[in-house]
């Protein structure tokens, strides 16, 4: 059964022929996030500075141009993320060395990054997480932006 649907009961203890109840985005995000521990901006900064985490910025170009970049973060467009971070992939980035890599994905406000982490977990990158509040929380925390 997919993470976005639930079986609908037929009222007799069974399900009604495979009919599934759609799950809204808020519920989907809640379910996805329950599967891993998210990270606060200060903790992400400290892990990146210590070399213990790879920050990956999936914001689209217009937001990066408008708001700036996090020094040292890899910019990977969302539609390329899985190809670039799969350690077994032919299109991987040099930094994507192992399934044990700790990746911190960030988007603008911390929503799309959660769904991206779910996809990375499916690839076996089980230490992947995302930044609570995204880039906006990073900037609000006074962390470096160029």
């Amino acid at each position: 059964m997919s993470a976005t649907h639930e079986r609908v009961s037929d009222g007799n203890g069974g399900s009604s022929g495979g009919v599934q109840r759609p799950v809204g985005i808020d519920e989907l995000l809640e379910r996805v996030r329950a599967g891993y521990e998210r990270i606060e901006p200060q903790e992400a900064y400290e892990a990146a500075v210590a070399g213990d985490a790879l920050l990956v910025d999936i914001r689209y170009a217009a937001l990066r141009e408008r708001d700036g970049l996090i020094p040292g973060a890899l910019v990977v467009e969302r539609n390329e993320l899985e190809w670039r971070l799969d350690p077994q992939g032919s299109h991987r980035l040099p930094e994507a060395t192992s399934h044990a890599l700790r990746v911190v994905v960030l988007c603008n406000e911390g929503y799309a990054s959660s769904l991206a982490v779910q996809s990375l977990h499916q690839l076996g990158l089980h230490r992947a997480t995302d930044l609570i509040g995204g880039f906006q929380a990073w900037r609000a925390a006074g962390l470096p932006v160029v």
Side-chain angles (χ1 to χ4, degrees):
M1 183 175 357
S2 101
T4 59
H5 291 86
E6 287 184 358
R7 298 271 180 222
V8 177
S9 171
D10 64 5
N12 296 318
S15 64
S16 54
V19 175
Q20 297 179 342
R21 177 183 69 82
V23 175
I25 188 62
D26 292 331
E27 185 175 344
L28 177 60
L29 278 171
E30 185 177 316
R31 289 179 181 188
V32 165
R33 290 171 174 168
Y36 66 95
E37 189 173 327
R38 301 178 78 209
I39 191 169
E40 294 283 348
Q42 186 64 42
E43 184 181 353
Y45 171 75
E46 291 168 6
V49 167
D52 294 332
L54 178 64
L55 300 180
V56 179
D57 186 345
I58 64 169
R59 293 175 301 144
Y60 55 89
L63 289 176
R64 294 191 312 266
E65 291 169 8
R66 182 189 77 189
D67 294 336
L69 299 168
I70 295 173
L74 285 180
V75 173
V76 179
E77 296 287 338
R78 174 61 190 99
N79 64 330
E80 297 179 353
L81 184 68
E82 292 81 359
W83 285 266
R84 299 296 185 216
L85 293 183
D86 178 5
Q88 299 174 341
S90 59
H91 298 290
R92 72 174 181 84
L93 292 168
E95 295 84 354
T97 56
S98 160
H99 284 95
L101 182 65
R102 184 177 185 199
V103 176
V104 179
V105 181
L106 65 109
C107 62
N108 194 47
E109 295 181 343
Y111 297 101
S113 57
S114 295
L115 299 177
V117 166
Q118 178 186 35
S119 182
L120 294 178
H121 283 187
Q122 290 173 332
L123 283 176
L125 294 159
H126 297 291
R127 294 185 68 210
T129 187
D130 72 323
L131 187 64
I132 297 169
F135 178 85
Q136 297 304 323
W138 178 281
R139 185 171 59 182
L143 296 169
V145 174
V146 293

